Amino acid sequence: MPEPQQQPGHATPVLEAVDLHVEIPLPIGHLQAVRGVSLSVGAGESVGLVGESGCGKSITLRALLGLLPVPARVTGGALLLDGVDVLGMPERRRQRALTDAMSMVFQDSLTALNPVMRVGDQIAEVPRRRLGMSKSMAHARAIDLMDQVGIPDPEQRYRAYPHQLSGGMRQRVCIAIAMSTEPRVMLADEPTTALDVTIQAQVLAVIDKLRVERQLGLVLVSHDLAVVSQTCSRIYVMYAGRVVESGGSAPLLATPEHPYTDALLRSVPDPDAVVARLASIPGQPPTLVDVPRGCAFAPRCTYAADVCTAEASPPELEQVRAAEPHTTACLRHDDIDLSASAEDALALEKEAR
Amino acid sequence: MTSIPAPIPTVTADAPRQSRPGRNYTLYVGLTLFALIVLAAIFAPLLTSADPLQQNLLQARLAPGSSGHLLGTDDLGRDVLSRILFGARIDLKVGVLAVLIPLVVGSMLGLLCGWWGRWFDTIVMRLVDIVVAFPFYVLVIALVFALGQGTRSIYIAISAVGWVAYCRIVRGQVLVAKEQEYALAARASGLPTWRILVRHLLPNVILQAIVYAMSDIVLSILAIVTLSYLGLGVAPPTPEWGSMIAEGQNSLLTQWYLATIPGLCVVVVGLALALIADGLVNQFNKR
Amino acid sequence: MQYALYVLRRLLTLIPVLVGITFIVFLLLKLIPGDPAVTLLGVHATPKAVAELHQQMGLDKPLYQQYLTFLGHLLQGNLGQSYQYRGVSVSSLVFSNLAPTVWLIVVGTVFAVAITVPLAMISANRPGSVTDGAVRAIPLAGIGLPSFWVGIMLILLLGLKVKVLPVSGFGTSFGGHVQHIILPALTIALAQLPILIRSLRASMLEVLGSDYIVTAKAKGLSRSRVMFGHALRNAGVASITVLGVNLAYLVGSTVAVEKVFALNGVGFQMYNAILGRDLPVVQAITLIFAVFVVTVNLLTDLAHAALDPRVRLG
């Protein structure tokens, strides 16, 4: 797995979210989708955001991009772009600043593309409309981008419509579009989930290549731990709208310090083991309309104790050991011992691929 | 202590806010409005003492608000309000009845087409294509012209043209429904075909047709009003909104209300039925 | 090439429909109670004269033969002779009055689109707002709008109270035509608004909820580029079909609207023919309208396929 390109904390991260809160007003009540998430990504760095469906990772990405879906809004925290808080800016300027610096790749490449427009024109759109290039220059730029993301025969493919391309090819188009704005950070929301395993690897390789070549920051959202462990140097684990553990990929996956991370790792099936049933985490994540008391994972946690729900406010992240960037939100991390067998499970999974 | 899983909000960019779950105001308002109109029509004799056919040239051309004539009188001295109310009887009656036949006939044909298919389906669908090729009003007008003026011709004409929509709707529904499990189960259990069609399939596929019927009643009323305006509908001096508008057009400058009020009545009826139709759709979306 | 095949296929399916149309129009004659010969000659005609006329008109032949003769005449462009105006052929009567109706339909559609698009876009842009509520009220209140009544109201408001526009006839010069067509075309447009607005607004909302709109915004494109270049383009494609289907109603309402404005077009001809019991004219105009609708539907389908690559490329 890739080494961190820089020691965190040494240079100003390109993008930093500090205690971000996002709320979605619904008829049933106000849903606290993101409850105090802090994360950062530096130039050329790749961070992963993992968690099960509904934990708020996709909403977080949208908040980072400044394009939350209409009823949702940011209700607290700061969003720093090169150290400057953009949340204080008027909406237009904020969106401008964020969309200039960042771009996003979606899970479903088919719905992410305009069905009645040729893919080449969609890639050329930003160079033409925002960067002021002439039609032929924009065309050339699009071909160039298609080359960089590994689309064979780009002149031919330029004229294709989205539905005519295969999933992997389409995702490359989406990446090319993302690159057309010359971003500094790429946000990828489950970019490979809808793809075959072999194509997954190719697309991830393209993303990684671009990251290294252009010193792009990468925030990769996934529920697939294997993908994240291969591509990211740091991982944030989210649960119920909060980050419950974060740190370098290797140490975090080898020695998780939060029961949820541990449970996630264990739930990855071992293809060679004889199992009576699949290990899964019992129960369901909480509805975030009524904010749970204390640690949101407590109801499903094997190691839960009274201290976990004693305080109303959710537990803060604290460093596991001094001088290490590994943090956890488990109040009992010192008391409990999450065995190291988790790494074996993950290694076997990776080998099977 | 597990909580109920959150309905992960499918918030998509710029999607309109979900309407509050709860009372279906659209449906209630629509039904109430329509009920009021129908009641006014039924109890017309109680609501007005004037005879809609009674001419009184001394009292002609009175403006609305004149004593004894809430909505004024027309060129021949006939009370406008009573003509409106009695006219409502005809327009509403024809509007509703003229939809029943297409609803029943069209749905039956659609049921058979969807269930059975084969040559029957092909022929009926060709017929549908042909009928649909004619502009609705043009064919209805031509048929009424051919068959002679009067409500009987109107029923025939509207039915001959209107069955098509129901046939399509029900056929589409049946095509989907017959692959559903309950239909397959019914067939597997060896029930006779007609029983399957009527007791199992029909209740499930008819709902869309009924919703459509609501807006079709509006079209029907519009048709009779238009026909009467053109002189093809109800014969004068029977009060009817369309012919009232035609008569009113002659004195548009001086008594603008004569042509305006009947039209507004049609609009209000249309509004009521549109609310009912929308309300029904909301109702079924909640199931 | 695939598009050409699509066009060809569609044309072929037209033929049975066209045949069917002619048959139904032919049947119209047969529906009328009474003997057409007697109608022409009058009640006091002698049986011999009636029998002669029968032979002349071919009414003594079996039905299918009569239909084939009818069809034969049609294909030669012979639409028969008017009952009302002796010696005048129906085709000359009809085609000399085609212009105002064509103007009416074209200008009416242009007005309709010109009003619908901005309203639907504003409404879809701010769902739940007051403007949106107002726009949404239009289909509700408007579904019950009789088109001819709208015309009368327009005459009242814009023609009589405020003498801005002429209220009847078609005018003699090109400029006159333009002036005279405004109110009728506006009437037609307003009558179509409820359906068109509802459809385009719904399409826009659906499209605005798509991921590719988020992609477009993430690209940092201007709001207008997103709305027009991406949203409207997709929503419009879906709405073209609605426009085409609605044209059938629009065409049908020309009969009443032309009567309101005494606009001497094909619809007004139909009205006159009905008053004067002139069956051949009624038949001919019904047929022409039907052929027009079929053609428009075909063109709509072709346009839709041309604009939506998913349809024509499969």
Side-chain angles (χ1 to χ4, degrees), chain A residues 38-353:
Chain A
S38 301
L39 57 82
S40 71
V41 57
E45 204 188 3
S46 65
V47 304
L49 200 54
V50 297
E52 56 193 312
S53 310
C55 69
K57 48 194 204 294
S58 294
I59 293 280
T60 306
L61 273 197
R62 294 285 289 262
L64 292 177
L65 193 55
L67 286 179
L68 283 170
V70 154
R73 49 173 197 248
V74 176
T75 48
L79 192 55
L80 306 176
L81 194 57
D82 289 320
V84 177
D85 186 6
V86 299
L87 289 180
M89 295 180 185
E91 192 184 329
R92 282 277 157 80
R93 263 190 71 199
R94 169 167 29 111
Q95 274 196 0
R96 207 46 197 273
L98 289 171
T99 53
D100 272 351
M102 294 185 288
S103 57
M104 187 141 155
V105 176
F106 289 88
Q107 172 177 344
D108 187 347
S109 57
L110 188 57
T111 57
L113 294 170
N114 187 335
V116 300
M117 213 167 143
R118 299 185 198 274
V119 298
D121 287 330
Q122 296 190 47
I123 301 175
E125 196 176 9
V126 168
R128 182 131 167 71
R129 306 255 164 207
R130 285 193 64 198
L131 304 179
M133 293 188 188
S134 71
K135 215 161 162 198
S136 48
M137 272 180 73
H139 183 111
R141 180 108 180 85
I143 300 287
D144 182 41
L145 284 167
M146 289 167 84
D147 243 343
Q148 289 183 35
V149 297
I151 296 177
D153 214 356
E155 284 291 354
Q156 186 81 296
R157 288 290 194 318
Y158 188 101
R159 298 181 52 75
Y161 287 95
H163 69 279
Q164 293 176 299
L165 298 176
S166 69
M169 212 48 63
R170 266 201 307 268
Q171 198 59 293
R172 289 172 201 254
V173 167
C174 288
I175 296 172
I177 290 178
M179 298 311 304
S180 69
T181 56
E182 291 174 12
R184 299 166 59 212
V185 174
M186 184 188 289
L187 308 171
D189 191 353
E190 312 256 15
T192 55
T193 309
L195 301 172
D196 285 338
V197 175
T198 34
I199 311 289
Q200 268 189 29
Q202 291 174 6
V203 171
L204 287 174
V206 167
I207 294 179
D208 208 47
K209 181 186 83 142
L210 291 168
R211 173 183 68 83
V212 171
E213 274 175 12
R214 296 159 183 249
Q215 285 294 290
L216 268 185
L218 174 67
V219 179
L220 180 67
V221 162
S222 186
H223 62 273
D224 188 339
L225 286 167
V227 162
V228 168
S229 72
Q230 279 173 338
T231 324
C232 306
S233 55
R234 279 194 296 124
I235 294 180
Y236 294 91
V237 180
M238 274 185 77
Y239 183 78
R242 283 181 65 79
V243 175
V244 295
E245 189 174 353
S246 79
S249 308
L252 189 144
L253 295 171
T255 48
E257 290 291 337
H258 194 286
Y260 178 63
T261 317
D262 181 51
L264 269 184
L265 288 165
R266 286 178 194 282
S267 66
V268 173
D270 172 2
D272 294 322
V274 175
V275 280
R277 54 191 348 204
L278 288 175
S280 65
I281 314 175
Q284 300 273 7
T287 66
L288 293 173
V289 179
D290 307 308
V291 172
R293 191 180 165 79
C295 173
F297 188 59
R300 306 164 76 188
C301 181
T302 332
Y303 308 93
D306 287 334
V307 63
C308 299
T309 46
E311 299 284 317
S313 56
E316 295 293 330
L317 287 168
E318 45 174 63
Q319 275 191 292
V320 175
R321 280 167 278 278
E324 266 184 35
H326 195 161
T327 58
T328 177
C330 180
L331 294 169
R332 302 196 63 218
H333 76 267
D334 277 330
D335 310 324
I336 56 186
D337 173 31
L338 302 162
S339 60
S341 59
E343 194 190 24
D344 297 351
L346 194 58
L348 281 166
E349 230 268 354
K350 278 163 57 184
E351 260 182 81
R353 282 171 185 262

Side-chain angles (χ1 to χ4, degrees), chain B residues 56-63 73-78 255:
Chain B
N56 187 344
L57 293 168
L58 294 173
Q59 297 246 290
R61 304 196 187 90
L62 291 175
T73 58
D74 68 2
D75 267 8
L76 298 173
R78 296 176 293 195
Q255 288 128 290

